[in-house]
């Protein structure tokens, strides 16, 4: 028994210190990749569709809240203009509601562009799998 297991400690140390690779043919790798892609692709598509639905719902909700906020700002601004005699400077400057709306529109455009890039990146990854 010592003859067969005597070298075990040295082999154990060698295995700990060296990397070992199993040689697999390119055909096997390609088949495994195709199998994984076929197995995962439907799940990824469904997850992407769910994410798009959630994003659309959140976007609609955010749009509703923004419009309500803009209406409230416009309402408050019109009431404040009625109570105070507006000077020429106030009339020439853009209203707070308009500034908020412009900022929100720019923010939405940036977010939409980021989401488009992310979607394209994910679709490319799904195709590469």
């Amino acid at each position: 028994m010592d003859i067969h297991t005597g070298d075990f400690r040295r082999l154990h140390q060698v295995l700990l210190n060296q990397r070992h690779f199993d040689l697999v043919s390119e055909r096997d790798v390609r088949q495994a990749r195709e199998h994984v892609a076929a197995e995962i692709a439907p799940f990824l598509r469904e997850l992407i569709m769910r994410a798009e639905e959630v994003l659309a719902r959140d976007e609609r909700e955010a749009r509703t809240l923004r419009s309500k906020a803009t209406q409230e700002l416009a309402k408050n601004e019109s009431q404040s203009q009625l109570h105070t005699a507006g000077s020429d400077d106030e009339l020439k400057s853009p209203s707070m509601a308009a500034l908020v709306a412009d900022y929100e529109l720019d923010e939405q455009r940036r977010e939409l562009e980021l989401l488009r890039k992310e979607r394209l990146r994910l679709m490319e990854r799904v195709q590469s799998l």
Side-chain angles (χ1 to χ4, degrees):
M1 187 73 133
D2 287 338
I3 293 171
H4 298 291
T5 60
D7 208 20
F8 180 72
R9 286 193 178 130
R10 185 185 69 80
L11 285 175
H12 179 69
Q13 191 62 34
V14 168
L15 290 174
L16 288 175
N17 293 329
Q18 291 183 353
R19 291 185 180 192
H20 294 273
F21 299 96
D22 290 328
L23 298 178
V24 180
S25 69
E26 182 68 26
R27 183 178 52 84
D28 292 341
V29 170
R30 197 174 319 117
Q31 286 177 346
R33 183 180 295 155
E34 289 171 0
H35 176 71
V36 169
E39 191 173 310
I40 292 176
F43 294 118
L44 288 176
R45 283 190 206 105
E46 184 175 338
L47 288 174
I48 288 172
M49 287 177 16
R50 285 183 187 178
E52 287 175 348
E53 290 172 2
V54 169
L55 286 174
R57 184 176 50 222
D58 287 347
E59 187 177 321
R60 284 192 304 270
E61 190 174 320
R63 222 179 299 134
T64 303
L65 292 173
R66 283 188 196 110
S67 67
K68 285 181 182 178
T70 305
Q71 288 173 354
E72 285 296 320
L73 283 172
K75 181 180 172 183
N76 288 342
E77 193 172 289
S78 66
Q79 287 178 354
S80 67
Q81 285 180 356
L82 289 175
H83 292 298
T84 60
S87 66
D88 290 340
D89 293 336
E90 288 178 349
L91 294 175
K92 290 180 183 177
S93 66
S95 68
M96 184 60 126
L99 290 174
V100 169
D102 289 342
Y103 174 76
E104 289 172 350
L105 184 61
D106 290 339
E107 186 177 313
Q108 284 179 347
R109 287 181 181 150
R110 282 191 298 269
E111 184 178 347
L112 182 62
E113 188 62 32
L114 287 174
L115 289 173
R116 284 181 181 157
K117 288 178 182 178
E118 181 69 16
R119 181 176 178 219
L120 288 174
R121 187 183 65 79
L122 287 172
M123 290 177 76
E124 288 173 1
R125 286 188 67 192
V126 167
Q127 291 299 327
S128 69
L129 288 175

